[in-house]
Amino acid sequence: MSTCSVSKGCFVFKPSTKKRRLSDKTAHDFRCTSNDSEDTELRFVTCQSLWNQIKSETEQIQENLNKQLLDNLVSFLSRSHSDFQEKTTDWTCRMKFREIPTAALVLGVNVTDHDLTFRGLSDVLQDNITPYVALLEAKDCPGIKNLMQKLMGQLMKCDIDVDSLEDEDCVQVSQNRIRCSMPSLISWYDSVTKKTNSETPSKKRNSSSRHWQSPPVVVIFKDMESFTTKVLQDFIVISSQHIHELPLVLIFGIATSPMIIHRLLPHSVSSLLCIELFQSLSCKEHLSTIIDKLLLTSQFPFKLGEKVLQVLINIFLYHDFSVQNFIKGFQLCIVEHFYSQPLSVLCCHLADIKKRVYSLSHDQCESIRRLPSFRRYVEKQESGKQIELLTNDSFLKEETEKLLGDLHVYHENYVRILRCLHVFTSSLPKYPLGKQIRELHCACLENRVWETEEYESSLQLARMLNKTDLVTMLQQCVEILMSSSGKEFDRAVEKLKEFLTQFQNLEAEASQERDVSVSPQKELQKKTDLYHLQKTLLELKESRRSKKLTKFEMLRFEVVDYIDSLVRRYLAPADERALHEIVYFNGAAVLRGHLNAAPRTALHTALNSPHWYLKNQALRCDGGGISNKAPDICIVYKLHLECGRLINLVDWLEAFSTVVMAAEEPNADAASSDQVDDVIHARFIRAVSELELLGFIKPSKQKTDHVARLTWGGC
Amino acid sequence: FVKKLENISDNEAQEILEEKNYVAALGICAQGISRGKPDTALTSGDSFSVRVVQFLCKKSFQAFNLKIYALAPDPYLESESEYSASCSEEEDEDEQKEVSAVLSDQKTPAKTKAASTPPPRNSLAKKNKEQKMGNLVEEYFEAHSSSKVLTSDRTLQKLRKRRLDQQTLRDLLKNAPLAYAAEIRNLNQQHESLFSKWMLQLHLGFNIVLYGLGSKRDLLEKFRTSLLQDSVHLVVNGYFPSITVRSILNSITEEVLDHIGTFRSPLDQLEFITKRFKEDSSLELYVLIHNLDSQMLRGERSQQILAQLSSLPSIYLIASIDHINAPLMWDQAKLSLYNWLWYETTTFNPYVEETSYENSLLVQQSGSLALSSLMHVLHSLTLNARGIFRLLAQHQLEKKDNPSYPGLSFQDFYQQCREAFLVNSDLTLRAQLTEFRDHKLIRTKRGADGVEYLLIPVDDSTLTDFLEKEDEDV
């Protein structure tokens, strides 16, 4: 069946039910791409299980991060509710002013992450406070009528959830027929709460264990900024009239700043609200936690290469601030890695490696031998071992297992030392190696960090730290290293502890030091003559340079040197390790192409230099120009670039046909020239309408047979 | 005969005068072109625009010659030879030489003027070349500051080229060989190798959007026929001029979900679809949208609904975009709903289907289509009805020089029709007019004095063509 029609734009294809493909064939797609189909099933399963682990981990992180905020909100809601419950004076006094308790929730600009927060919020509320929670979005509420409709629909639905199913029908009916107004909402609320009160004791106990007697009705405005002012105002004014009958609580989700409430609502309306402000965790902290828990851990076998991580972080920092998108990018990395790297079957937990290595086929062994990092490794071995590695499969497997184990250990150590180094660098002035641990991580992945200038300057700065700082840092380092399970760092811990005791011993000697240093100072104070002052200062400087270092300074040097040695030992970049390709994903270009594409640039490249895509010598042109043999649309595009705001179609057509005729044989005789003209005319029409489709021009009524140009400049 | 000759020479003088004006205008236009030119240009952009100007001179001259030739074939034999001479020179590679040759043949002052124009322009262009790096922004404002537009006044009508209708256009293009077919095939094969990867990523919850120059229709069709044969899928031609979100939703509810009944709003419908897909986990739907950025679908509300639809886990969306500003229609919220993976698929295929609908083509098309539709409707009417329409058309053409012509008043028209024995009562005429109006052949307007005026909303040239055709038929 064709999908071209002049009367219809949608075509549905339904295969007969017998032929319909089963849904669990995703692994099949995984397979039919790679050449060796041996382990694809396993690879796919590994990929999926890894992703599921990571997904649940991120959700856990999100939950933990939001816990504080949600607790605060819950306590706020229960407070506002208790007033209503007890009918205290405070409540009646508020009644006079008809104030609605309101929580303003400042969530930050990462709108895409809000959904998850709100979902968590409404779950928590329904568990702890009230079954009556309505989530409203601006796009559903263009008018007050729609808003009420949506609100009542959601509230009555949760009514069904809570109540037994006996009266479902009547609610169903009423939901469709009911007039959406505040009085009907109130009467509904009354009936519901009364019903709960008069229910059987057992049921009552059940429900009261979770909710109070008359639970508040919570209305959440997800995106306050996008609501129309009118709708919000009307809703607030109307509901404030009924606040004594209906314990309403509003929650505003705010992406920008709390000021927006006052900008959206006039004073007369905002005075009806009793606003309390809540601030959610900033998205940057969220990201740091995610990176900390996903990347800087040996829990997951899969790792990101430096460029890839940089791409993901750049998208986050310069495009959307969205943690969700970061995680999506991470997912894409996993999929890409397992899809494109046949050896990624070995990218699994340490426990499984042995089994998987020994079940490798000969072809897979060959592909291990082809890995650049492995080749480098082989070249470093002595010749006998080289031959073994290249010819003996079982020897290779043993070696592979050992190397993968090494890689795992390397990573574990790497993370510890990275954290230690971060303790030092994060408190230095101007942060030469970055404030965040992710920056340090990127720097270490990129190349040998100890060869960089930034590292040099941060060591310089570290040599000037004062004692108290140094001691606390050392203590932190000790804690970090102690937390590791292996025995790798036992010596390091010992050494650091030794430093700490030495620092303590210094206390006693400190007083003597002071006595020595006083004398030149006094001398300085006696002189008043400028010449003498200068002279003494110079002398002082000389003496300082040659002066023997104090014990503290010596010790400080030692500490810094020791840290430096640790860094050199453990923070070597991953791509120097053998077999790193199996674990690290390095397809930064692919990732950027899929997540952060530039469609406009692609169009311009295709139009300006078609030979980039069409590998033909005729299209290659010197000086960035375009040959007259280029595809029609490229020529037409080039010609249109020469015009101003309006383009005369006739001139354009003739220019086009000149160019095209010059490219073709110019010796056509008079009779056939007419024929050719028609074809060129048709080609021109096609090219012009294609340009219109692409949005470069549009028809103009300003002058007959003119089109207006919509773009300016090269791009 | 002598009188006729005089007439002709008179005409000629007139023409020359016009030519003079025209060439002057052309000079201005050429300057405009070179001034407005941004730094990206053809291999030698400057000399190219010179070439264009020369070519335009030559063309107009040729047309001019042709006219003389057609008017008086016998006494102007030498002019014919002149014409063929210029024709043979056209084959000459060196265009500069050619133009000067043509110019030397002609002694009219207009031509010498034209000859004198290129050299100074050339130097001007060279100067421009030096300032190529001038600020684009400034150029933009310069082009938009003056309300006067410096382009030539030539129109397609003066070109004396018959307008192409849809059918002939198609035929012509079908016969024209596609350039670089092998390379394009290569390019497409590269994209086709990604099909199974697309499937995988669709299943993992991503949606796929294709961008890049060239029609992606064939590619998607190939994807559909090779991989989606055994699954339920929906193809949406976004470029179809009367596509709406509603029709997309309708085809899902009616044909995919077999639901009979209507919905109050698209939002309700979306809710229904969401519910059904969530309830039944075995339901799966692949949606292919050609041109998600088309005129009809690019609106905020449509995109919102499509985004929500695509965010359902068992709906797999794969779409293509072409417009340079297409990504602007999505904000962060929509982007996260769509969950796009971008794929660059530059195909260089011509946009045959996408531009085949009338509204996507430029003016060359609309006239001929209106003519064919006029003919079509009129052929199905009675002889009298055709006569009535002819009367109105002729009257309108007589008054074509009057810009404030309001149309023919109903009373006058009735009178004329009666005189021509076309109608016998104003009731029959009114019935006939209603039929015309239903086919949008005429428009009625009430004047300030309350009189009804009738007008054919078609441009004069089409109307002339129509009358000619009618005459042929009769």
Side-chain angles (χ1 to χ4, degrees):
Chain A
M1 193 167 130
S2 155
T3 54
C4 307
S5 162
V6 286
S7 58
K8 196 170 145 191
C10 299
F11 305 86
V12 173
F13 297 89
K14 278 176 104 170
S16 58
T17 36
K18 257 185 288 171
K19 276 202 300 183
R20 208 170 282 185
R21 122 196 203 128
L22 293 168
S23 57
D24 54 5
K25 283 280 187 67
T26 316
H28 177 75
D29 302 315
F30 213 83
R31 178 183 308 137
C32 48
T33 54
S34 51
N35 309 327
D36 53 341
S37 55
E38 296 159 54
D39 277 328
T40 37
E41 200 80 30
L42 185 61
R43 237 162 71 206
F44 180 69
V45 171
T46 320
C47 171
Q48 282 304 85
S49 75
L50 180 65
W51 165 238
N52 287 335
Q53 271 177 38
I54 285 173
K55 202 171 146 195
S56 60
E57 177 80 22
T58 54
E59 275 160 14
Q60 192 63 43
I61 292 167
Q62 167 107 19
E63 214 167 275
N64 292 343
L65 288 179
N66 280 332
K67 199 169 182 313
Q68 176 72 32
L69 174 76
L70 293 184
D71 286 349
N72 287 346
L73 264 174
V74 165
S75 72
F76 163 76
L77 286 172
S78 50
R79 245 184 299 131
S80 68
H81 160 79
S82 67
D83 292 342
F84 182 78
Q85 193 77 16
E86 292 154 20
K87 305 255 182 255
T88 56
T89 47
D90 181 31
W91 175 258
T92 46
C93 139
R94 195 188 283 171
M95 218 69 280
K96 263 187 241 157
F97 300 109
R98 304 190 311 239
E99 279 184 354
I100 312 170
T102 305
L105 199 56
V106 182
L107 291 163
V109 288
N110 48 336
V111 192
T112 41
D113 296 345
H114 294 177
D115 250 9
L116 219 58
T117 316
F118 280 120
R119 222 179 301 147
L121 175 64
S122 73
D123 285 349
V124 168
L125 291 185
Q126 279 179 343
D127 283 350
N128 298 323
I129 305 279
T130 168
Y132 312 121
V133 180
L135 273 166
L136 296 178
E137 273 179 275
K139 61 172 190 285
D140 298 330
C141 311
I144 183 80
K145 200 175 143 200
N146 308 71
L147 188 145
M148 287 305 288
Q149 228 164 23
K150 203 87 195 161
L151 176 65
M152 294 190 64
Q154 288 196 18
L155 287 177
M156 292 181 179
K157 231 176 258 166
C158 32
D159 179 43
I160 301 167
D161 291 343
V162 169
D163 281 341
S164 53
L165 295 171
E166 60 200 62
D167 50 5
E168 189 185 2
D169 304 286
C170 82
V171 177
Q172 278 287 340
V173 169
S174 64
Q175 194 187 327
N176 290 333
R177 302 265 170 83
I178 212 157
R179 270 184 61 243
C180 294
S181 67
M182 221 53 193
S184 55
L185 188 64
I186 289 161
S187 63
W188 162 81
Y189 182 75
D190 280 345
S191 70
V192 168
T193 45
K194 248 180 226 143
K195 209 192 292 166
T196 337
N197 291 344
S198 60
E199 263 164 16
T200 53
S202 67
K203 204 167 186 182
K204 189 177 173 184
R205 212 187 306 131
N206 194 6
S207 66
S208 62
S209 66
R210 284 168 62 218
H211 307 302
W212 284 280
Q213 289 286 313
S214 46
V217 174
V218 180
V219 181
I220 303 176
F221 293 88
K222 270 186 172 177
D223 39 355
M224 161 129 185
E225 283 93 341
S226 0
F227 275 91
T228 347
T229 329
K230 186 92 174 55
V231 174
L232 267 186
Q233 284 180 24
D234 286 353
F235 180 72
I236 290 168
V237 171
I238 294 170
S239 45
S240 79
Q241 302 281 346
H242 299 278
I243 190 71
H244 51 282
E245 295 157 291
L246 187 74
L248 195 71
V249 181
L250 305 181
I251 296 179
F252 291 150
I254 295 171
T256 50
S257 85
M259 278 303 291
I260 195 78
I261 300 176
H262 301 289
R263 206 168 301 158
L264 277 177
L265 305 173
H267 181 69
S268 59
V269 177
S270 62
S271 64
L272 297 175
L273 301 173
C274 173
I275 302 173
E276 198 160 319
L277 202 64
F278 295 88
Q279 187 94 35
S280 82
L281 198 69
S282 91
C283 51
K284 272 196 267 176
E285 282 169 57
H286 192 168
L287 180 76
S288 310
T289 327
I290 293 273
I291 289 182
D292 209 52
K293 291 271 161 63
L294 291 188
L295 299 179
L296 301 177
T297 165
S298 46
Q299 192 186 347
F300 304 110
F302 173 77
K303 313 275 184 254
L304 294 182
E306 188 265 333
K307 294 246 170 55
V308 173
L309 184 59
Q310 205 67 59
V311 167
L312 286 180
I313 289 176
N314 282 348
I315 291 176
F316 176 84
L317 289 178
Y318 302 118
H319 290 269
D320 49 14
F321 284 123
S322 163
V323 178
Q324 289 308 309
N325 280 355
F326 184 86
I327 294 169
K328 171 193 162 188
F330 196 69
Q331 184 193 3
L332 184 66
C333 292
I334 296 174
V335 173
E336 276 288 336
H337 180 69
F338 280 89
Y339 180 81
S340 57
Q341 173 64 265
L343 287 173
S344 58
V345 69
L346 296 177
C347 180
C348 58
H349 289 285
L350 203 54
D352 301 333
I353 283 184
K354 197 178 167 84
K355 213 179 89 201
R356 293 198 183 179
V357 165
Y358 285 104
S359 59
L360 288 180
S361 69
H362 175 70
D363 283 347
Q364 282 170 316
C365 289
E366 282 301 311
S367 54
I368 287 180
R369 287 182 185 122
R370 277 196 295 273
L371 288 180
S373 69
F374 187 74
R375 269 196 252 160
R376 271 200 303 269
Y377 172 77
V378 169
E379 277 158 23
K380 277 185 207 146
Q381 308 301 316
E382 71 254 25
S383 57
K385 201 176 174 191
Q386 278 185 0
I387 294 166
E388 277 289 287
L389 279 175
L390 294 179
T391 52
N392 188 345
D393 273 0
S394 58
F395 186 75
L396 176 83
K397 282 174 188 172
E398 261 171 53
E399 195 69 16
T400 308
E401 192 202 340
K402 198 182 111 252
L403 285 175
L404 285 173
D406 284 354
L407 201 60
H408 187 80
V409 171
Y410 153 78
H411 199 265
E412 230 164 46
N413 298 339
Y414 172 90
V415 172
R416 305 274 169 223
I417 299 299
L418 187 75
R419 284 184 203 279
C420 287
L421 182 61
H422 181 241
V423 166
F424 277 88
T425 56
S426 62
S427 58
L428 297 175
K430 285 204 201 153
Y431 311 104
L433 277 170
K435 215 179 194 171
Q436 306 280 346
I437 196 164
R438 57 164 190 262
E439 295 164 80
L440 192 64
H441 181 48
C442 280
C444 291
L445 280 178
E446 196 180 359
N447 42 32
R448 294 179 179 182
V449 72
W450 59 89
E451 285 170 0
T452 60
E453 239 172 74
E454 289 85 7
Y455 181 76
E456 205 53 50
S457 61
S458 52
L459 276 196
Q460 291 277 344
L461 289 167
R463 288 195 183 106
M464 283 183 254
L465 284 169
N466 63 23
K467 203 178 104 189
T468 42
D469 281 355
L470 205 57
V471 169
T472 48
M473 282 176 195
L474 283 178
Q475 276 162 350
Q476 281 175 354
C477 289
V478 169
E479 270 168 41
I480 291 169
L481 295 181
M482 295 273 271
S483 65
S484 80
S485 51
K487 291 194 172 162
E488 178 77 29
F489 292 118
D490 283 357
R491 277 197 35 225
V493 169
E494 243 167 63
K495 183 90 181 165
L496 290 179
K497 278 186 177 162
E498 200 184 303
F499 282 132
L500 279 173
T501 50
Q502 276 178 336
F503 273 117
Q504 272 159 10
N505 294 341
L506 273 180
E507 292 287 315
E509 298 161 30
S511 52
Q512 296 168 353
E513 291 276 325
R514 216 171 288 140
D515 287 345
V516 181
S517 60
V518 164
S519 52
Q521 293 283 325
K522 269 182 185 164
E523 220 172 293
L524 198 70
Q525 280 162 2
K526 275 189 279 179
K527 315 276 188 208
T528 43
D529 186 349
L530 192 66
Y531 172 71
H532 282 285
L533 178 71
Q534 198 177 7
K535 208 172 148 196
T536 343
L537 280 174
L538 278 174
E539 273 169 19
L540 212 62
K541 203 174 158 197
E542 282 294 305
S543 71
R544 244 194 218 152
R545 197 172 291 164
S546 60
K547 206 179 77 178
K548 226 183 106 212
L549 294 166
T550 63
K551 277 196 177 159
F552 167 65
E553 282 166 331
M554 300 258 284
L555 197 54
R556 192 164 60 181
F557 272 36
E558 261 180 63
V559 170
V560 173
D561 286 345
Y562 185 69
I563 296 289
D564 185 39
S565 73
L566 283 180
V567 166
R568 279 166 200 267
R569 183 153 164 220
Y570 292 109
L571 289 191
D575 48 15
E576 288 179 5
R577 312 291 303 193
L579 297 183
H580 71 90
E581 290 96 336
I582 291 178
V583 175
Y584 280 81
F585 175 65
N586 277 313
V590 181
L591 191 71
R592 195 181 295 124
H594 288 336
L595 293 180
N596 199 10
R600 208 169 158 150
T601 321
L603 264 185
H604 279 281
T605 319
L607 288 170
N608 280 319
S609 40
H611 68 84
W612 184 267
Y613 294 97
L614 304 174
K615 308 285 181 213
N616 191 314
Q617 277 306 314
L619 290 171
R620 203 168 285 277
C621 239
D622 46 320
I626 190 169
S627 81
N628 50 14
K629 293 188 186 67
D632 293 346
I633 187 166
C634 301
I635 295 173
V636 168
Y637 170 76
K638 273 289 182 188
L639 291 172
H640 117 284
L641 283 182
E642 300 195 350
C643 297
R645 183 154 53 103
L646 287 184
I647 307 168
N648 186 324
L649 276 174
V650 185
D651 295 347
W652 200 7
L653 167 62
E654 297 203 334
F656 174 74
S657 73
T658 325
V659 175
V660 173
M661 297 275 259
E664 283 160 16
E665 300 291 290
N667 54 4
D669 54 313
S672 70
S673 81
D674 203 314
Q675 177 60 33
V676 169
D677 236 353
D678 253 0
V679 173
I680 288 176
H681 191 187
R683 280 164 60 184
F684 175 74
I685 291 173
R686 176 172 66 187
V688 167
S689 43
E690 283 174 358
L691 276 193
E692 193 191 346
L693 182 84
L694 294 177
F696 285 101
I697 52 165
K698 66 167 191 202
S700 165
K701 287 255 160 66
Q702 260 178 310
K703 221 168 158 186
T704 40
D705 291 337
H706 275 66
V707 290
R709 203 180 138 184
L710 295 177
T711 57
W712 203 256
C715 56
Chain B
F1 183 70
V2 172
K3 200 175 176 185
K4 197 175 172 187
L5 246 178
E6 262 176 22
N7 240 350
I8 290 163
S9 60
D10 258 356
N11 267 349
E12 195 180 340
Q14 189 93 26
E15 295 258 9
I16 287 168
L17 210 68
E18 273 175 21
E19 198 81 346
K20 209 168 165 183
N21 287 339
Y22 169 65
V23 169
L26 203 66
I28 294 168
C29 134
Q31 275 174 15
I33 287 176
S34 70
R35 200 183 305 150
K37 183 172 25 155
D39 48 4
T40 44
L42 274 113
T43 27
S44 53
D46 308 308
S47 68
F48 174 73
S49 16
V50 174
R51 235 187 302 147
V52 171
V53 172
Q54 287 162 356
F55 182 80
L56 294 183
C57 297
K58 194 179 70 197
K59 269 278 169 175
S60 57
F61 158 65
Q62 224 178 66
F64 169 57
N65 247 347
L66 253 172
K67 213 175 269 171
I68 298 172
Y69 179 57
L71 273 168
D74 287 285
Y76 280 88
L77 263 173
E78 45 176 85
S79 89
E80 188 191 356
S81 65
E82 219 174 67
Y83 171 62
S84 56
S86 79
C87 233
S88 62
E89 269 153 9
E90 211 172 307
E91 293 146 26
D92 205 321
E93 296 270 325
D94 188 355
E95 290 194 288
Q96 184 63 50
K97 202 167 134 197
E98 173 202 326
V99 167
S100 58
V102 171
L103 291 172
S104 64
D105 277 339
Q106 294 298 312
K107 281 142 274 172
T108 49
K111 297 300 167 199
T112 41
K113 194 172 174 185
S116 64
T117 14
R121 256 213 68 268
N122 218 349
S123 65
L124 187 97
K126 261 199 192 116
K127 221 199 270 166
N128 263 357
K129 206 174 185 176
E130 284 164 15
Q131 302 169 334
K132 248 179 200 173
M133 299 317 283
N135 204 341
L136 286 175
V137 182
E138 273 173 26
E139 282 177 11
Y140 174 84
F141 284 112
E142 197 179 303
H144 281 256
S145 59
S146 62
S147 55
K148 221 168 146 193
V149 184
L150 299 171
T151 51
S152 70
D153 290 333
R154 303 205 301 160
T155 57
L156 290 169
Q157 265 185 306
K158 283 189 192 157
L159 211 62
R160 289 243 149 222
K161 196 170 277 174
R162 82 190 154 86
R163 286 168 180 246
L164 301 168
D165 60 40
Q166 190 72 46
Q167 195 53 49
T168 42
L169 186 74
R170 244 173 212 241
D171 293 345
L172 281 171
L173 288 177
K174 207 176 276 174
N175 294 333
L178 184 64
Y180 305 107
E183 283 84 359
I184 289 176
R185 217 174 20 252
N186 251 343
L187 210 57
N188 283 321
Q189 263 159 13
Q190 279 174 31
H191 301 319
E192 280 159 27
S193 65
L194 293 171
F195 280 174
S196 63
K197 196 171 174 185
W198 293 354
M199 274 307 253
L200 171 73
Q201 283 166 342
L202 286 175
H203 282 142
L204 291 177
F206 296 102
N207 291 310
I208 286 174
V209 61
L210 309 178
Y211 64 91
L213 182 68
S215 168
K216 288 158 280 284
R217 213 190 110 81
D218 292 344
L219 191 67
L220 280 178
E221 273 298 291
K222 197 148 192 188
F223 173 70
R224 184 179 79 79
T225 47
S226 59
L227 286 179
L228 297 183
Q229 277 313 309
D230 297 341
S231 35
V232 188
H233 56 278
L234 166 69
V235 178
V236 178
N237 292 342
Y239 51 83
F240 182 65
S242 50
I243 190 96
T244 55
V245 178
R246 189 144 224 179
S247 58
I248 298 174
L249 292 177
N250 277 340
S251 47
I252 293 178
T253 51
E254 282 162 22
E255 294 184 59
V256 177
L257 301 176
D258 297 319
H259 173 85
I260 305 153
T262 51
F263 295 89
R264 259 181 305 166
S265 72
L267 283 176
D268 285 347
Q269 203 164 359
L270 186 68
E271 220 161 86
F272 173 79
I273 294 171
T274 316
K275 219 175 95 201
R276 280 295 294 273
F277 272 95
K278 278 194 178 142
E279 276 168 7
D280 187 354
S281 58
S282 70
L283 267 179
E284 276 187 325
L285 176 65
Y286 295 83
V287 182
L288 279 86
I289 303 183
H290 303 290
N291 282 86
L292 184 61
D293 55 346
S294 70
Q295 205 80 44
M296 295 303 291
L297 296 181
R298 67 174 65 146
E300 207 269 330
R301 292 183 66 83
S302 335
Q303 286 297 326
Q304 179 68 44
I305 287 172
L306 288 175
Q308 274 173 291
L309 200 62
S310 74
S311 69
L312 292 178
S314 46
I315 288 188
Y316 311 115
L317 173 67
I318 176 163
S320 67
I321 56 168
D322 284 302
H323 198 278
I324 41 169
N325 294 328
L328 294 182
M329 61 189 176
W330 300 316
D331 55 14
Q332 290 294 345
K334 286 195 201 76
L335 279 178
S336 79
L337 281 176
Y338 272 125
N339 204 11
W340 287 131
L341 286 188
W342 299 75
Y343 273 91
E344 183 184 336
T345 54
T346 302
T347 63
F348 274 98
N349 282 338
Y351 293 97
V352 179
E353 282 294 323
E354 287 89 332
T355 56
S356 66
Y357 293 99
E358 191 214 353
N359 63 351
S360 69
L361 276 169
L362 285 176
V363 267
Q364 293 106 314
Q365 288 296 302
S366 52
S368 55
L369 259 185
L371 178 63
S372 65
S373 53
L374 265 186
M375 296 300 291
H376 199 73
V377 173
L378 263 287
H379 271 292
S380 62
L381 294 178
T382 60
L383 214 57
N384 273 5
R386 280 152 80 172
I388 293 170
F389 192 76
R390 263 178 78 90
L391 261 183
L392 190 61
Q394 276 164 349
H395 190 265
Q396 187 162 332
L397 278 182
E398 279 164 22
K399 295 280 166 58
K400 70 176 172 193
D401 295 329
N402 178 9
S404 58
Y405 168 67
L408 184 58
S409 75
F410 180 77
Q411 275 311 318
D412 292 348
F413 190 35
Y414 175 55
Q415 208 57 46
Q416 283 180 25
C417 289
R418 258 185 88 96
E419 279 162 16
F421 297 109
L422 290 170
V423 293
N424 50 9
S425 76
D426 70 340
L427 266 179
T428 34
L429 180 60
R430 276 200 190 279
Q432 201 53 64
L433 289 182
T434 315
E435 187 156 359
F436 288 157
R437 206 176 297 130
D438 288 346
H439 286 105
K440 300 208 165 50
L441 292 181
I442 60 162
R443 217 169 43 200
T444 50
K445 217 169 28 177
R446 225 166 255 288
D449 46 357
V451 184
E452 205 175 349
Y453 288 105
L454 306 168
L455 202 66
I456 304 175
V458 173
D459 59 300
D460 298 333
S461 58
T462 316
L463 216 52
T464 323
D465 288 347
F466 163 70
L467 284 179
E468 277 169 17
K469 277 240 170 95
E470 275 282 287
D471 287 339
E472 278 171 30
D473 288 356
V474 174

